[in-house]
Amino acid sequence: MGLINVLFTFVAIFSVDKWGRKPLLYIGVGGAVISLVIIGFLFQFGVISGPWILIFILAFIACFAFSFGPVCWVVIGEIFPNGIRGKAMSLATLTLWIGNFFVGQLTPMMLEGLGSAWTFWIFAICCSPALYLTWKLIPETKGRSLEEIDAHWHTIHQQQIK
């Protein structure tokens, strides 16, 4: 699992500026959601060990490692306007760590209370909105300077005022 995580993190490092942030998020989040749904079905049908569970857990880790994992950190360093970047990045980082804390704390309780299948399905449901949010709210920042991104936000702000 660790090897897959490291390998696919390097995929993100070497492809984020070539492919862009949004494509990595679309592919990675989509793959993560599909993997989680399939893992849930495997548990639902009594497949609790063996190659299929391993394949889809590794697929989830790979998808996370080249999308959600590193790309979130790239995006939060780029998307905020210059005037609020420091505070906004602090809030975004805090939010990511709080989410991480809750996933870590709730997972054992969910596994015990809801069972493995529902736990993975709930995680798939929680990941799904990231596809829509990426499409609607996250600008592609590949190849753009921080000043260009800042100008993008000022343009959107001016359009909203009109």
Side-chain angles (χ1 to χ4, degrees):
M1 287 187 202
L3 180 63
I4 293 295
N5 194 5
V6 169
L7 288 175
F8 281 88
T9 298
F10 278 109
V11 169
I13 289 169
F14 292 112
S15 63
V16 72
D17 286 328
K18 185 187 316 181
W19 297 348
R21 287 81 171 128
K22 290 178 82 156
L24 286 177
L25 286 171
Y26 287 139
I27 295 166
V29 173
V33 168
I34 290 167
S35 297
L36 290 168
V37 168
I38 291 171
I39 292 167
F41 278 113
L42 290 170
F43 279 122
Q44 182 69 28
F45 293 116
V47 180
I48 59 172
S49 65
W52 290 111
I53 286 287
L54 179 62
I55 288 167
F56 286 103
I57 287 175
L58 292 176
F60 169 79
I61 291 169
C63 290
F64 179 87
F66 77 80
S67 65
F68 265 144
V71 176
C72 286
W73 298 105
V74 173
V75 169
I76 67 170
E78 296 176 335
I79 65 167
F80 297 115
N82 291 335
I84 63 164
R85 181 168 290 121
K87 289 179 182 175
M89 284 181 63
S90 297
L91 182 60
T93 300
L94 175 66
T95 304
L96 286 169
W97 281 110
I98 288 171
N100 188 33
F101 171 81
F102 279 115
V103 168
Q105 295 303 307
L106 294 176
T107 298
M109 290 183 267
M110 291 171 66
L111 287 168
E112 187 175 319
L114 301 173
S116 299
W118 277 104
T119 298
F120 282 93
W121 289 333
I122 288 171
F123 286 150
I125 290 167
C126 290
C127 288
S128 297
L131 292 168
Y132 177 77
L133 295 172
T134 298
W135 174 55
K136 282 302 231 183
L137 298 178
I138 297 177
E140 179 55 72
T141 57
K142 176 182 88 168
R144 296 170 71 190
S145 69
L146 293 177
E147 292 75 21
E148 290 171 324
I149 297 165
D150 194 46
H152 166 80
W153 290 122
H154 285 295
T155 303
I156 287 178
H157 180 69
Q158 292 302 320
Q159 290 171 351
Q160 291 174 344
I161 291 174
K162 291 179 184 180

